[in-house]
Amino acid sequence: MNLKKTIRNYIILAVGAFLLSKIYALFGHGVTSPWMSNLYLYLLGPGALAYFLISQLIPDIVWRKGYRLFYNTYNSGIAVLINGMLLYGVLEIAGGTSQIVPWFLYIGCGLLLTASVMFYRLVRIQACNIDK
Amino acid sequence: MKKMLEFIRKKYAWSIIIAVFLSISTTYTMLDAFVMPKSYEIVSQEKSKNTTVGTQTTSEVIMNSGSTSTSNHDSSAQTEAVTSDYSYKDDNININVEKLEENGTVFYVADIQVSDVSYLKTAFANNTYGKNITQATSEMAQENNAIFAINGDYYGFRDTGLIIRNSVLYRDTARSSPDDQALTLNSNGEMQVVTEGEVSGTSLIDDGILQSFSFGPALVQDGKIASTLSTRVSKSANPRTAIGQISPLHYIAIVVDGRSSESNGMTLDQLAQEFLERGATVAYNLDGGGSSTMWLNGKVINNPTDGHHDGERSISDIIYIGK
């Protein structure tokens, strides 16, 4: 697994999200949404920064069995969450609401929670192996 | 099953599955929010009759001055209505619209006086309460024999917000923000701003509330600039629609043109100030932007535009004066 590539991809996505929020604001007639304007932060924080910390603190974890499943689940969680926030932003600027959009947040958070449990288990297994 | 497991094990399979899921769910969500019409209730004739004042037939005679004399043969009384491009007057309804221009902004102020609150009415697009069911203000006004009309709160674009129309409670779901307020109109013709969620729709109906509008924010309360106004996004100049009250049965509606070379639009603060200067005790912001439309005596008198397309936007509902 190439952590540098993952970090780079998250930074590119964050820049894209930042530009998107600025371009969207140009057509928003002064109406803005924190969901939309802070979108890039969620890609930088839980995305790029989290993988940067992994690469610095526990780089060997990527070779453990089960890491791929964690990686897919975690990235999917961020993708679903970001998508939900983007929809929240679009609707908020337009002045509308939707009963479907919260489900993106529930599913996204669910995936992130599951990924966190997987990550904890991976770290624990690694720690046990070092102790042995 | 075996083939499916093999596919999932492939390097990019997971990404493809998530991408397909997100594409389908996002498209559906956007269609549900902006396009797909959902009819929840067709407003029955019975409900409409509750607020109708008599029945009328109308005939018009063009007068020399460009004004029109309209004979309304009301079941309760016979009145002679005098109308012009910017006014309407009969025994029960007096409407005067002023077209003003200040600081590069064109706006229309309608001073409305009625003898009974039942002349101030509301109508849904296609006579149907629902989501994404829309019609132009002028079409709704014509179908309801309105004398004067403005756009309402575009309730059908949202799933939440207190909606009472012509004494019928349609929606009793408070919006998410604690300071989301609704405007109510009671049977004495008094307007009042209430915080959604603090009062139930049923109790408001019991208290004789005829109409409620869920957009906001409140611009004027108790004859002062509303305290919640400063916390809202009010800095950008836009087309606006708002309604207020000077006294029971005496109302003001203001429609502001904007997003065009002819008119800049108004901030919410400026709009609130306009109501204060005219002695309003209560004023409330309705749906604005491309929705802002004022209709009088059979025609649209402002210039509705959303900044990209000129002309009326199709909306969910109107507030109108009619018999």
Side-chain angles (χ1 to χ4, degrees), chain B:
Chain B
M1 189 68 185
K2 198 180 171 186
K3 277 185 179 175
M4 193 186 275
L5 284 171
E6 276 174 19
F7 174 74
I8 289 170
R9 282 195 192 108
K10 282 182 183 170
K11 199 178 176 185
Y12 293 107
W14 188 289
S15 310
I16 292 166
I17 291 167
I18 290 293
V20 169
F21 163 73
L22 285 179
S23 303
I24 293 170
S25 56
T26 302
T27 307
Y28 179 77
T29 306
M30 296 300 266
L31 288 173
D32 178 71
F34 292 100
V35 183
M36 289 192 297
K38 285 180 192 166
S39 167
Y40 301 136
E41 189 174 337
I42 293 168
V43 180
S44 66
Q45 292 296 321
E46 204 57 39
K47 280 176 183 171
S48 302
K49 276 179 191 170
N50 288 340
T51 53
T52 304
V53 183
T55 52
Q56 60 165 350
T57 54
T58 305
S59 61
E60 289 187 344
V61 181
I62 306 294
M63 296 176 78
N64 292 337
S65 61
S67 63
T68 309
S69 173
T70 308
S71 283
N72 294 317
H73 303 289
D74 208 293
S75 60
S76 54
Q78 281 214 334
T79 59
E80 178 93 355
V82 179
T83 68
S84 73
D85 283 350
Y86 285 97
S87 69
Y88 177 96
K89 190 172 196 281
D90 67 19
D91 285 350
N92 300 306
I93 299 166
N94 188 2
I95 303 167
N96 281 296
V97 178
E98 263 188 295
K99 182 183 177 182
L100 299 163
E101 189 169 354
E102 282 175 20
N103 305 319
T105 296
V106 180
F107 60 105
Y108 303 80
V109 181
D111 187 284
I112 303 157
Q113 285 175 279
V114 289
S115 63
D116 190 282
V117 69
S118 57
Y119 292 111
L120 198 161
K121 301 178 188 192
T122 55
F124 291 137
N126 298 325
N127 221 21
T128 304
Y129 169 70
K131 187 174 183 180
N132 291 325
I133 294 171
T134 59
Q135 220 178 350
T137 299
S138 57
E139 285 174 39
M140 280 186 265
Q142 275 165 346
E143 284 177 10
N144 289 282
N145 298 318
I147 296 160
F148 168 88
I150 54 170
N151 61 288
D153 61 4
Y154 208 155
Y155 76 90
F157 196 41
R158 295 173 297 281
D159 295 316
T160 53
L162 176 69
I163 302 298
I164 298 169
R165 297 295 157 88
N166 302 323
S167 302
V168 178
L169 176 63
Y170 288 97
R171 191 166 68 196
D172 194 11
T173 324
R175 286 176 289 164
S176 54
S177 175
D179 66 344
D180 276 329
Q181 296 168 316
L183 179 75
T184 60
L185 175 74
N186 70 17
S187 48
N188 297 323
E190 292 163 337
M191 286 180 169
Q192 199 182 358
V193 174
V194 297
T195 302
E196 291 182 16
E198 281 185 7
V199 281
S200 74
T202 349
S203 67
L204 287 171
I205 291 281
D206 292 342
D207 291 345
I209 297 297
L210 304 175
Q211 318 281 354
S212 80
F213 307 100
S214 179
F215 199 91
L219 303 170
V220 175
Q221 270 182 283
D222 304 320
K224 296 173 192 160
I225 298 277
S227 56
T228 48
L229 191 59
S230 58
T231 63
R232 299 288 189 134
V233 180
S234 55
K235 302 296 172 204
S236 58
N238 274 305
R240 307 272 182 194
T241 301
I243 193 164
Q245 174 189 273
I246 292 175
S247 59
L249 307 179
H250 188 183
Y251 309 101
I252 290 183
I254 298 181
V255 166
V256 183
D257 283 345
R259 296 181 190 170
S260 68
S261 53
E262 290 81 32
S263 182
N264 300 325
M266 265 189 205
T267 64
L268 290 177
D269 300 313
Q270 289 170 326
L271 188 56
Q273 203 57 46
E274 291 296 334
F275 276 97
L276 265 192
E277 283 170 13
R278 286 165 179 80
T281 53
V282 177
Y284 187 81
N285 183 52
L286 295 164
D287 185 29
S291 303
S292 288
T293 308
M294 187 179 277
W295 190 90
L296 178 69
N297 295 331
K299 57 188 174 193
V300 174
I301 57 174
N302 72 315
N303 293 303
T305 177
D306 63 5
H308 306 294
H309 308 286
D310 290 342
E312 284 182 83
R313 175 191 279 170
S314 291
I315 54 167
S316 300
D317 57 324
I318 58 166
I319 301 172
Y320 72 98
I321 302 292
K323 293 194 172 187

Side-chain angles (χ1 to χ4, degrees), chain A residues 66-119:
Chain A
Y67 179 79
R68 166 62 75 177
L69 191 60
F70 153 76
Y71 180 82
N72 285 337
T73 311
Y74 188 72
N75 290 344
S76 304
I78 292 180
V80 176
L81 261 182
I82 292 293
N83 201 63
M85 287 171 180
L86 185 66
L87 288 171
Y88 254 123
V90 169
L91 284 168
E92 197 167 73
I93 289 170
T97 58
S98 165
Q99 287 176 336
I100 304 170
V101 179
W103 284 100
F104 283 90
L105 304 190
Y106 303 149
I107 294 169
C109 287
L111 286 168
L112 286 184
L113 203 68
T114 311
S116 303
V117 174
M118 288 174 183
F119 187 74

